[in-house]
Amino acid sequence: MLEDGTWTQQEEGTPQGGSASPLLANLYLHYAFDQWVQQWRRKKALGEVIVVRWADDFIVGFERQSEAERFLGELKERLKKFGLELHSEKPRLLEFGRHAAERRERRGLSKPETFNFLGLTHYCGKSRKGWFTLTRHTMRQRLRAKLKEVRAELRRRRHDPIPAVGAWLRSVVDGHFRYYGVSGNIQALKGFRYEVLRTWQWAL
């Protein structure tokens, strides 16, 4: 572990961002979560249940609110058996989906809440024909952090040949577009590209 420029040896945990971390999460959660949640869906759920997991991040969607509340409680107990616990700030129960906006409006509530998953903020949106659609935008925190990283690297590369810097920036923008290039996110992508170009112009 590197903190404040000093290397220290750690006996527990995995390096943040290291390849071992998601690999071990997949192996461990296959038994602690995946197999259990499939059994829970078959044996206890009466409504539809959707599960999406990526490494140690996951979302579970329920047709019925009562089942969502029950699942959350049982999930905490399940993870305890493996020495795991949910992050104190991350678990949220929220109303989302095709009928969420209409139901909340009838109860005098505001628009459905949003949630972040894998670097994207998810919204209950509408298509041009007025149908429900899942809308995703780049998380603002991720966007700001990436632009800050680009500015710092441009300062470091200030004396490098211009074509070399241009090639590097192109790879940065291409990689960003490949990851965040989902339907409905075009404005955030354009904004990122514009800010990168503006930052490069300032650096030049």
Side-chain angles (χ1 to χ4, degrees), residues 70-168:
R70 178 184 176 188
F71 177 85
L72 181 58
E74 294 185 16
L75 174 62
K76 291 178 180 178
E77 293 301 316
R78 170 68 178 179
L79 294 179
K80 277 184 183 179
K81 295 178 180 178
F82 291 83
L84 301 173
E85 61 182 15
L86 296 173
H87 192 286
S88 59
E89 298 177 1
K90 286 189 175 182
R92 293 168 57 202
L93 288 174
L94 55 91
E95 192 173 16
F96 197 88
R98 189 179 308 277
H99 306 293
E102 179 184 344
R103 290 172 179 169
R104 290 177 65 85
E105 187 177 356
R106 284 203 301 264
R107 301 199 304 270
L109 300 175
S110 59
K111 294 180 181 179
E113 294 180 68
T114 64
F115 65 90
N116 298 324
F117 187 57
L118 302 181
L120 294 161
T121 302
H122 296 65
Y123 302 81
C124 288
K126 287 186 178 182
S127 67
R128 292 179 181 178
K129 294 184 179 181
W131 299 339
F132 169 80
T133 183
L134 175 63
T135 304
R136 295 168 291 178
H137 297 160
T138 310
M139 284 174 54
R140 291 179 182 176
Q141 305 96 306
R142 292 284 182 92
L143 191 59
R144 286 196 294 265
K146 188 61 180 180
L147 288 171
K148 184 178 179 181
E149 180 184 316
V150 169
R151 292 186 187 106
E153 185 64 16
L154 275 174
R155 283 194 294 270
R156 194 184 71 79
R157 294 173 178 253
R158 184 171 294 174
H159 301 293
D160 290 358
I162 291 177
V165 177
W168 168 73

Side-chain angles (χ1 to χ4, degrees), residues 172-185:
V172 169
V173 173
D174 283 349
H176 187 88
F177 273 48
R178 286 193 183 100
Y179 185 87
Y180 293 102
V182 297
S183 178
N185 198 31

Side-chain angles (χ1 to χ4, degrees), residues 13-28:
T14 58
Q16 183 71 25
S19 58
S21 182
L23 174 62
L24 292 174
N26 282 329
L27 290 173
Y28 206 67

Side-chain angles (χ1 to χ4, degrees), residues 27-40:
L27 290 173
Y28 206 67
L29 290 179
H30 174 71
Y31 298 100
F33 179 79
D34 296 343
Q35 293 185 343
W36 174 79
V37 78
Q38 296 304 332
Q39 291 180 354
W40 197 96

